[in-house]
């Protein structure tokens, strides 16, 4: 279906009340220029898994269509521009895209040229349906100051990205569900963007990121009470790079090994934790040190206000390494691992640790270390360090400075 309303001088509309359409290679089911689309149902299916686009438009879309686009490089809803009649007729220079249907994507060969569920550079996205699919695909790609609101489900395989936001804001409502596989990312933000996370159902696989807040421009993040995340092994809940503050109330349980719940890197990067974090085991091999860590920083600032439970062997509550790194505990760090758990680990010239509340042990383990400070790092204790396990140490120093 093709509609071009610009010659009329007024905005036209397409109403699709449930048509079922099959399209071929590089085909487009609904191509709308100057024409708004309201699709209440029906299906769009490609033949022989070829590349195709479901909707290609410069105008508002409300779609409850189910699209099955299994060809590599396919796009479910592609907003390519802004209806030139909008500034005059409606006083705006953006479009609104709503998806309430199911968009199913196949595998892509590379995340650099992926299939995409919804793509815009010109408007707001409201996703309340389902986008699912295979590997190396993107659910929502938005490169615009306008907003993304996710109240739906996004579920992909390995190497995929749930939402990629450049500029503007992304809101995950309490009804938002995002699941990605191994080597994948739930949400990426960059170029001056903000994420608000209210979702109780974020799931990531091994070697994956829940949220990657990158360092081009000032990018910020907040999660609210009730949000929750589950991860595999060798993964990170929140990666924060460069200028901008992140505040998290999310409950994090790292069921796998060698995970970091929160990681801040680079000058100006800051994470404040108000949620409870439970970290599992570190698997230490000869020549390979990969620790499970509650909060970590290289060059940024991390602050814990709630509780970090160090339950895994060789795992660390808070870690700061290198110049400009600062770890502040205003909450509780509880070490209950069977052996070699650390409350805080401060390493390197210019790294600083501060305890303003409580670092303690519980359980029946041994060889715990409350605070380790090494290689000209600095530690200030304004609180309590209560280490009461066999063969354990309250504060371990090696070429370091302590203020107590």
């Amino acid at each position: 279906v093709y509609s071009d309303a610009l010659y009329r001088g007024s905005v036209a509309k397409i109403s699709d009340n449930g048509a079922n359409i099959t399209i071929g290679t590089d085909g487009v089911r609904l191509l709308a220029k100057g024409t708004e689309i309201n699709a209440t149902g029906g299906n769009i299916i490609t033949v022989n898994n070829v590349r195709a686009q479901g909707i290609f438009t410069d105008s508002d879309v409300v779609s409850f269509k189910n699209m099955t686009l299994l060809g590599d490089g396919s796009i479910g809803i592609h907003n390519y521009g802004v209806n030139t009649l909008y500034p005059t007729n409606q006083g705006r220079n953006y479009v609104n895209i709503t998806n309430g249907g199911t968009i199913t994507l196949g595998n892509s060969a590379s995340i650099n040229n992926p299939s995409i569920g919804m793509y815009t550079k010109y408007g707001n996205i409201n996703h309340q349906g389902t986008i699912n699919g295979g590997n190396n695909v993107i659910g929502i790609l938005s490169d615009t100051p306008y907003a993304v609101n996710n109240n739906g489900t996004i579920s992909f395989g390995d190497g995929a990205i749930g939402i990629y936001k450049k500029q503007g804001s992304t809101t995950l409502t309490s009804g938002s569900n995002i699941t990605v596989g191994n080597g994948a990312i739930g949400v990426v933000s960059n170029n001056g963007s903000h994420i608000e996370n209210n979702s109780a159902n974020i799931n990531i696989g091994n070697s994956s990121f829940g949220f990657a807040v990158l360092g081009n421009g000032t990018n910020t993040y907040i999660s609210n009470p009730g949000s929750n995340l589950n991860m595999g092994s060798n993964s990170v809940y929140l990666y924060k790079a460069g200028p901008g503050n992140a505040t998290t109330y999310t409950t994090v349980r790292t069921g796998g090994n060698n995970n970091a719940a929160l990681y801040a890197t680079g000058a100006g990067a800051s994470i404040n934790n108000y949620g409870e974090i439970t970290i599992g085991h570190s698997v230490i091999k000869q020549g390979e040190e990969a620790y499970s860590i509650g909060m970590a920083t290289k060059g940024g600032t991390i602050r814990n206000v709630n509780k970090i439970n160090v339950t895994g062997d060789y795992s660390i509550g808070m870690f700061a390494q290198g110049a400009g790194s600062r770890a502040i505990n205003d909450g509780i760090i509880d070490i209950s691992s069977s052996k070699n758990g650390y409350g805080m680990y401060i390493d390197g010239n210019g790294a600083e640790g501060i305890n303003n509340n409580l670092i303690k042990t519980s359980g029946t383990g041994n060889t715990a270390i409350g605070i380790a400070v090494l290689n000209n790092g600095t530690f200030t204790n304004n609180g309590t360090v209560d280490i009461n396990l066999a063969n354990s140490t309250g504060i371990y120093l090696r070429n370091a400075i302590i203020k107590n």
Side-chain angles (χ1 to χ4, degrees):
V1 176
Y2 172 70
S3 175
D4 187 344
L6 298 183
Y7 298 108
R8 305 173 27 148
S10 61
V11 177
K13 299 181 184 295
I14 293 175
S15 294
D16 180 346
N17 295 319
N20 296 316
I21 302 295
T22 301
I23 51 179
T25 303
D26 292 324
V28 178
R29 164 59 180 95
L30 294 170
L31 195 163
K33 188 175 183 181
T35 305
E36 297 178 349
I37 296 173
N38 182 25
T40 59
N43 300 283
I44 298 175
I45 302 173
T46 56
V47 296
N48 300 321
N49 299 342
V50 296
R51 181 180 63 231
Q53 298 193 44
I55 296 174
F56 187 70
T57 183
D58 66 353
S59 303
D60 291 356
V61 173
V62 176
S63 173
F64 287 83
K65 296 196 79 67
N66 298 322
M67 307 181 195
T68 302
L69 308 172
L70 302 182
D72 194 352
S74 295
I75 301 176
I77 301 175
H78 184 178
N79 167 223
Y80 67 87
V82 179
N83 189 324
T84 58
L85 299 176
Y86 280 172
T88 300
N89 291 9
Q90 300 186 19
R92 60 182 167 106
N93 197 35
Y94 60 89
V95 301
N96 295 309
I97 302 171
T98 297
N99 175 57
T102 297
I103 301 173
T104 300
L105 305 173
N107 296 321
S108 290
S110 171
I111 192 63
N112 296 317
N113 188 29
S115 291
I116 303 169
M118 303 174 71
Y119 173 51
T120 182
K121 294 183 71 174
Y122 303 97
N124 299 301
I125 284 181
N126 177 26
H127 172 54
Q128 57 194 40
T130 298
I131 305 174
N132 56 41
N135 304 328
N136 300 316
V137 295
I138 297 177
I140 297 172
L141 176 57
S142 171
D143 186 3
T144 169
Y146 299 106
V148 169
N149 184 73
N150 182 49
N151 191 41
T153 296
I154 298 174
S155 181
F156 290 138
D158 299 340
I161 297 173
I163 299 173
Y164 197 141
K165 187 73 173 91
K166 302 178 182 180
Q167 312 176 67
S169 65
T170 299
T171 300
L172 307 183
T173 70
S174 59
S176 174
N177 302 298
I178 297 178
T179 298
V180 293
N182 302 326
I185 307 174
V187 182
V188 179
S189 71
N190 205 7
N191 299 86
S193 61
H194 173 72
I195 298 172
E196 179 177 345
N197 173 27
N198 299 287
S199 175
N201 195 10
I202 306 291
N203 303 284
I204 62 174
N206 300 328
S207 303
S208 297
F209 294 87
F211 297 86
V213 183
L214 304 182
N216 187 16
T218 299
N219 302 288
T220 56
Y221 172 93
I222 185 168
S223 69
N224 293 313
S227 56
N228 186 65
L229 179 135
N230 300 296
M231 64 176 75
S233 295
N234 301 297
S235 293
V236 178
Y237 150 43
L238 172 61
Y239 172 89
K240 175 69 182 75
N245 181 60
T247 300
T248 170
Y249 288 82
T250 299
T251 299
V252 181
R253 294 178 178 85
T254 64
N257 301 317
N258 303 341
N259 292 307
L262 305 170
Y263 179 52
T265 181
S270 173
I271 300 178
N272 295 291
N273 175 57
Y274 292 86
E276 185 169 356
I277 297 172
T278 301
I279 55 172
H281 290 280
S282 302
V283 178
I284 308 300
K285 302 176 182 178
Q286 186 173 2
E288 179 182 341
E289 297 183 352
Y291 296 92
S292 281
I293 303 174
M295 302 181 72
T297 183
K298 292 185 178 180
T301 299
I302 52 176
R303 175 172 170 255
N304 174 51
V305 186
N306 198 303
K307 187 178 182 182
I308 300 175
N309 301 299
V310 182
T311 65
D313 296 346
Y314 296 95
S315 296
I316 302 169
M318 299 183 76
F319 175 83
Q321 184 177 59
S325 300
R326 200 162 187 247
I328 304 167
N329 178 45
D330 289 333
I332 298 172
I333 300 175
D334 184 3
I335 307 167
S336 61
S337 55
S338 61
K339 62 181 179 180
N340 296 103
Y342 292 81
M344 299 180 74
Y345 194 108
I346 312 301
D347 181 28
N349 189 20
E352 181 182 10
I354 301 172
N355 175 44
N356 292 322
N357 198 340
L358 176 62
I359 299 172
K360 70 184 186 76
T361 55
S362 61
T364 60
N366 60 69
T367 60
I369 297 178
I371 302 103
V373 191
L374 301 86
N375 303 319
N376 298 311
T378 300
F379 179 75
T380 301
N381 184 38
N382 301 315
T384 300
V385 180
D386 183 9
I387 305 302
N388 190 24
L389 294 178
N391 304 310
S392 296
T393 303
I395 300 176
Y396 172 82
L397 301 176
R398 189 177 70 196
N399 299 324
I401 301 170
I402 186 168
K403 303 174 183 179
N404 196 0

